[in-house]
Structures are given as C-alpha cells and as structure tokens.
Amino acid sequence: MKWINAVIAPCLLLVAVSATAAEDIEPAGELRFSLTIAEGTCELDQELIEVEMGPVALKRPVVVGRGLNETKFSIGLKNCSNATSALVTMGGSPDDTNPDLFALERGGATGIALQIKTNSTSPVVQKPVATDSTPVSRMVLDGKNSLNYIASYVPVSPNATPGAANAVVTFNIQYE
C-alpha cells in the first residue's frame, strides 16, 4: 500500500502545483485512495484430472437418456482464502443431438454423450459453455476443498454404437 501511495502522491502533487501555478487559488478538496491487496484465492490440487470411467456394455435396446457407468470425481482446491464461492464453467464440444451434454471424440462410439453433474442432494447438470455460459456456483471454505461431480455416459440415440468413448472437458473457476 505504501508503494501505491508513493505513486499516487506525486501525481496529486503535480496536479496541485499546476493548478496553483496557473491560478493562485486554494485547493478545493483532496482525494484519498485506499486499496486492500488480498492473497490469491485458491490453487488447484491438479491441473490435469483423468477420470477413468471403466468399461461398459452397450445393451439392446438402447435406453436414450439413461446414464451409464456413473463415476464420481473431484476438482480439488487448496490454500483457499478470501473466497466464499467458486463459479465453475466447463468447456468442450456440445453433442450434436443433445447440446446440454459433451460430445465424444470422433472415431469411436456414436449416439452417446458425456454428462457431468454436481454431486449434491439437488444435482445440477454442468452444461458445455458453448451451450450455456452460466457458471455453476459452489461453496468454498478456507483451506482445502473438493468440488465433487458425477460423470456418466448417456445414450442420445436408440441407434448408439459401441467404440472408444473419450472426451476432453476444460474447466474455468472464478472466485467470489
């Protein structure tokens, strides 16, 4: 804070001197600046989180919308200070059939998408930011936090076909 005052004070002094030199008048008032510099909010436990969904058999008839292989995972936050909530958005390609879900990488399974929802009593589906850029708010406490989620594969077509079912999802966190 001293550094900021040292920078601002000469600027104010120059303004005051210029005004006094141009017109021989008394100053009308003063401006005071204050700022609190806080530590960073949270750090990620890991920047790359690999979620192993395990194998699943695609049963016939395919039930559209029914989640397969629900798997829990967490985004770990540590050294949290001066934050009460984390606003999370997730990016990735939206599925062509259901843009509220994440598309799988091309060349594998078809008619299946990835769903990510919060792991809570009232789960919220985390939509691709291209579909809905509204962040999902999560509570943050001082210290270490886990933002818990559930991922599942969801058939979006009765004609779904088996194959590799990989997806890449990025996440962005803003703090309040």
Side-chain angles (χ1 to χ4, degrees):
M1 191 141 121
K2 289 181 182 177
W3 180 81
I4 292 172
N5 287 337
V7 171
I8 293 173
C11 294
L12 292 176
L13 181 61
L14 289 174
V15 170
V17 169
S18 298
T20 304
E23 303 173 25
D24 204 13
I25 60 172
E26 294 290 320
E30 68 181 20
L31 297 172
R32 292 183 185 232
F33 296 86
S34 64
L35 172 70
T36 301
I37 299 175
E39 290 184 37
T41 47
C42 296
E43 298 173 31
L44 293 174
D45 273 345
Q46 297 175 279
E47 289 183 25
L48 174 64
I49 301 168
E50 293 188 36
V51 181
E52 179 59 48
M53 298 290 290
V56 64
L58 184 62
K59 296 179 182 175
R60 302 285 179 195
V62 174
V63 179
V64 173
R66 182 176 181 203
L68 307 171
N69 273 31
E70 285 193 345
T71 302
K72 294 180 180 183
F73 72 96
S74 296
I75 297 174
L77 304 175
K78 62 183 179 181
N79 301 325
C80 293
S81 61
N82 301 317
T84 56
S85 65
L87 303 172
V88 181
T89 53
M90 293 193 179
S93 299
D95 182 70
D96 292 336
T97 305
N98 184 345
D100 288 342
L101 305 177
F102 295 92
L104 301 181
E105 293 177 351
R106 304 254 184 245
T110 62
I112 299 174
L114 177 69
Q115 179 183 63
I116 300 174
K117 60 185 176 181
T118 59
N119 184 11
S120 63
T121 54
S122 301
V124 176
V125 174
Q126 188 83 53
K127 299 176 183 177
V129 73
T131 301
D132 183 359
S133 61
T134 306
V136 175
S137 181
R138 306 293 300 272
M139 191 165 88
V140 174
L141 305 171
D142 281 346
K144 191 171 174 95
N145 293 271
S146 291
L147 305 181
N148 298 314
Y149 292 93
I150 299 173
S152 59
Y153 292 112
V154 177
V156 293
S157 168
N159 299 321
T161 62
N166 301 319
V168 175
V169 176
T170 59
F171 60 90
N172 186 16
I173 304 175
Q174 296 175 305
Y175 303 95
E176 290 185 332

